[in-house]
Amino acid sequence: MSMAEYHGKVKNIQDTPFGYTLSVIGGKWKMVIMYLLADNQPVRFELKRQIGAITYKTLSSQLKELEADGMVERKEYPQVPPKVEYRLTAKAETLLPVLEGLCEWGVQHQDPSINNSATD
């Protein structure tokens, strides 16, 4: 289904496929987490270091939500200190073209005067 099929019919955004997608990947951190997992799997708790401005509580909460939605797989190893790895599921990997599209949009529209450390 496309957005055009819902034109003029949307009473509640949550009832649309778009609303469902936003419920799974919406918010400030979920797409950032998925982007980092896609770039480097499996990931242990260095996600906090890579993201920077996120609290451990928020990171933990976002990972739990992504896991509950079937987007992230969590593997815990019984050792001391505890070791936990995260990776994207096959379901999440179907969203990678969308994330790539967002990156491409950024390439096309980002102000070239902004220092882009990813290309340095």
Side-chain angles (χ1 to χ4, degrees), residues 56-114:
Y56 283 110
K57 180 180 177 182
T58 300
L59 176 58
S60 179
S61 170
Q62 296 292 278
L63 284 165
K64 285 178 184 175
E65 288 178 24
L66 286 166
E67 185 180 11
D69 287 326
M71 304 300 284
V72 169
E73 179 183 287
R74 180 180 191 268
K75 185 173 183 179
E76 190 172 336
Y77 295 90
Q79 66 185 48
V80 177
K83 176 182 167 185
V84 179
E85 291 181 344
Y86 295 92
R87 68 177 61 246
L88 295 179
T89 63
K91 178 181 178 181
E93 288 179 358
T94 64
L95 271 172
L96 294 182
V98 175
L99 295 180
E100 287 291 336
L102 291 171
C103 288
E104 189 58 39
W105 186 91
V107 167
Q108 293 174 11
H109 297 283
Q110 183 178 24
D111 183 346
S113 67
I114 295 174

Side-chain angles (χ1 to χ4, degrees), residues 26-56:
K28 186 173 180 178
W29 300 110
K30 288 182 180 177
M31 285 196 295
V32 172
I33 292 167
M34 289 178 60
Y35 179 87
L36 291 171
L37 287 174
D39 188 47
N40 186 23
Q41 293 189 74
V43 172
R44 294 169 189 87
F45 230 72
E46 68 260 13
L47 277 171
K48 165 72 172 100
R49 181 182 48 79
Q50 291 175 316
I51 296 172
I54 192 171
T55 66
Y56 283 110

